Amino acid sequence: MEVVAKNLTFTYSAKTKSLAFKALNGVSVRIAEGEFFGIIGKTGSGKSTFVQHINGLIKVQKGGGALFVGNHDLADKKCDYKSLRAKVGMMFQYPEHQLFAETVESDVAFAIKNFAPNTPTEEINARVKYAMELVGLDYNALKDKSPFDLSGGQKRRVAIAGVIVAKPEILVLDEPAAGLDPKGKREFLELLNKLHKDFVKTIIIVSHDMNLVSEYCTGAAVFSDGKILAVGAPKEIFSDKDLIEKSGLDLPLTAYLTAKLREKGVNADNDCTVDGFVDSVCRAFNIGGKEL
């Protein structure tokens, strides 16, 4: 399933002139199936409003452009949102706040019971076990525990298990690493990377962390004042000095160091990932060559 927005526009409090605020203003973008795609920009740039359109949490307004997610036309009043949401999983900032059930197993099973209520109990149990183990949780040890008795990292894994148990084709995450310490953030992002490779076809992530975007995303869209300033690979975006200044973004560390080396006359061109940066520096300074 690909996501295609054409001139998507959305205004909050549209019926009240004094309160009206245009959060999206002619957004056009195509997110291909298989992408790990970043949505980036300053606070208030329209990022969260855009991604909440993708699974219909915010509806396309009349005359507000077009949005297609796979075969779903979200501008059509007859759009089957239940079918859409079974294919597009959504996880918000601090996803552990989405937990609500008495046991971990019940919490993870909720999406199946909601989207496919006729699923046999044996299949539900098997899918819950698979989803929990896929995110690194011990099914037998945790299934009967209250999710509120778990650690922060475990709660976040339970939340994502509760989304992927429905086998979505697209996973949308709004600042999913917020509040995690560096070790927890790294582990969680490695989990997302694993899910993208082995389970979920497309991941769309909203983030203020440019290091995250440069390391994991295959493409990104830069939002500013409800518009898209640029779409491209992280390397293209973070190499554009004027774009970075105009959008108010920070450079990821790899791009910042690459730019500083370039100022010193050292060509360390790379894809903005940590491994790519290290390899480029080694080549630039002939470190690790055959003569060594």
Side-chain angles (χ1 to χ4, degrees):
M1 295 171 67
E2 67 175 7
V3 176
V4 180
K6 297 179 180 179
N7 200 34
L8 187 64
T9 299
F10 183 83
T11 303
Y12 287 104
S13 303
K15 295 180 180 180
T16 308
K17 271 191 174 183
S18 60
L19 299 176
F21 171 70
K22 187 169 283 188
L24 297 178
N25 188 7
V27 167
S28 297
V29 65
R30 175 180 177 270
I31 303 174
E33 182 177 291
E35 292 253 39
F36 195 128
F37 197 85
I39 305 293
I40 58 179
K42 295 186 297 184
T43 299
S45 61
K47 306 185 302 298
S48 293
T49 300
F50 173 70
V51 296
Q52 288 181 57
H53 273 80
I54 295 176
N55 78 338
L57 288 177
I58 295 178
K59 305 291 177 64
V60 178
Q61 291 177 328
K62 184 177 180 181
L67 179 63
F68 298 90
V69 179
N71 293 324
H72 296 273
D73 178 357
L74 277 71
D76 185 345
K77 289 184 178 181
K78 296 180 181 179
C79 178
D80 185 348
Y81 287 105
K82 189 169 185 177
S83 171
L84 171 73
R85 290 166 185 154
K87 295 294 184 182
V88 182
M90 183 84 185
M91 204 167 92
F92 297 98
Q93 188 175 6
Y94 300 106
E96 55 270 26
H97 295 171
Q98 296 174 224
L99 305 178
F100 65 93
E102 291 185 0
T103 68
V104 169
E105 184 173 43
S106 296
D107 213 303
V108 176
F110 176 77
I112 305 176
K113 294 177 180 179
N114 183 40
F115 294 125
N118 296 323
T119 305
T121 300
E122 295 78 8
E123 183 181 342
I124 292 175
N125 294 339
R127 285 172 62 177
V128 168
K129 183 175 186 292
Y130 178 74
M132 287 180 62
E133 291 178 347
L134 192 63
V135 301
L137 295 172
D138 187 321
Y139 173 76
N140 291 319
L142 298 177
K143 67 184 180 70
D144 296 321
K145 286 193 172 185
S146 166
F148 305 106
D149 291 336
L150 305 182
S151 69
Q154 287 176 319
K155 287 178 181 178
R156 202 156 292 201
R157 288 172 184 264
V158 170
I160 198 168
V163 174
I164 66 171
V165 73
K167 299 181 179 178
E169 294 186 32
I170 299 174
L171 181 59
V172 182
L173 307 105
D174 194 346
E175 296 287 356
L180 295 177
D181 60 31
K183 182 175 183 292
K185 179 185 290 187
R186 184 172 62 253
E187 290 176 348
F188 188 73
L189 292 170
E190 288 297 338
L191 167 61
L192 291 184
N193 202 36
K194 178 177 180 291
L195 290 176
H196 182 234
K197 289 179 178 178
D198 303 333
F199 192 76
V200 181
K201 291 180 181 178
T202 306
I203 289 181
I204 301 171
I205 188 166
V206 175
S207 183
H208 285 96
D209 187 338
M210 297 305 103
N211 291 308
L212 180 163
V213 173
S214 65
E215 187 66 23
Y216 294 97
C217 291
T218 54
V222 181
F223 277 66
S224 179
D225 296 324
K227 300 179 180 181
I228 291 182
L229 297 184
V231 178
K235 177 183 176 181
E236 297 169 353
I237 288 171
F238 296 127
S239 296
D240 188 335
K241 184 178 178 181
D242 291 338
L243 172 65
I244 297 302
E245 290 179 354
K246 184 177 180 180
S247 59
L249 296 175
D250 293 323
L251 283 174
L253 182 59
T254 51
Y256 173 80
L257 293 175
T258 300
K260 287 297 181 183
L261 286 169
R262 189 177 296 115
E263 289 175 7
K264 300 295 183 181
V266 178
N267 180 14
D269 187 51
N270 60 83
D271 61 3
C272 288
T273 64
V274 171
D275 285 346
F277 174 74
V278 171
D279 287 345
S280 69
V281 171
C282 288
R283 289 195 302 271
F285 291 98
N286 198 27
I287 299 172
K290 291 182 180 180
E291 72 279 3
L292 299 178

Coordinates of all heavy atoms in Angstrom, one line a residue, residues 51 110 185 188 208 254:
V51 N -0.2 12.9 9.6 CA -0.2 11.5 9.8 C -1.5 11.0 10.4 O -1.9 9.9 10.2 CB 1.0 11.0 10.7 CG1 2.3 11.3 10.0 CG2 1.0 11.7 12.1
F110 N -6.7 -6.9 21.8 CA -7.8 -6.0 21.6 C -8.0 -5.7 20.1 O -9.1 -5.7 19.6 CB -7.6 -4.7 22.3 CG -8.7 -3.7 22.0 CD1 -10.0 -3.8 22.6 CD2 -8.5 -2.6 21.1 CE1 -11.0 -2.9 22.3 CE2 -9.5 -1.7 20.8 CZ -10.8 -1.9 21.4
K185 N 16.1 4.2 23.8 CA 15.8 4.7 22.5 C 16.5 3.8 21.4 O 15.9 3.5 20.4 CB 16.3 6.1 22.3 CG 16.0 6.8 21.0 CD 16.6 8.1 20.9 CE 15.9 9.1 21.7 NZ 16.4 10.5 21.5
F188 N 14.7 0.5 21.1 CA 13.4 0.6 20.5 C 13.5 0.8 19.0 O 12.7 0.3 18.2 CB 12.6 1.7 21.1 CG 11.2 1.8 20.7 CD1 10.3 0.9 21.1 CD2 10.8 2.8 19.9 CE1 8.9 0.9 20.7 CE2 9.4 2.9 19.4 CZ 8.5 2.0 19.9
H208 N 11.4 14.7 15.9 CA 12.2 15.9 16.0 C 13.7 15.5 16.1 O 14.6 16.4 16.1 CB 11.9 16.7 17.3 CG 10.6 17.4 17.2 ND1 9.4 16.9 17.7 CD2 10.3 18.6 16.7 CE1 8.4 17.8 17.4 NE2 9.0 18.9 16.8
T254 N 26.1 13.3 12.1 CA 26.9 12.9 10.9 C 27.0 14.0 9.9 O 28.1 14.2 9.3 CB 26.3 11.6 10.3 OG1 24.9 11.8 10.1 CG2 26.5 10.4 11.2

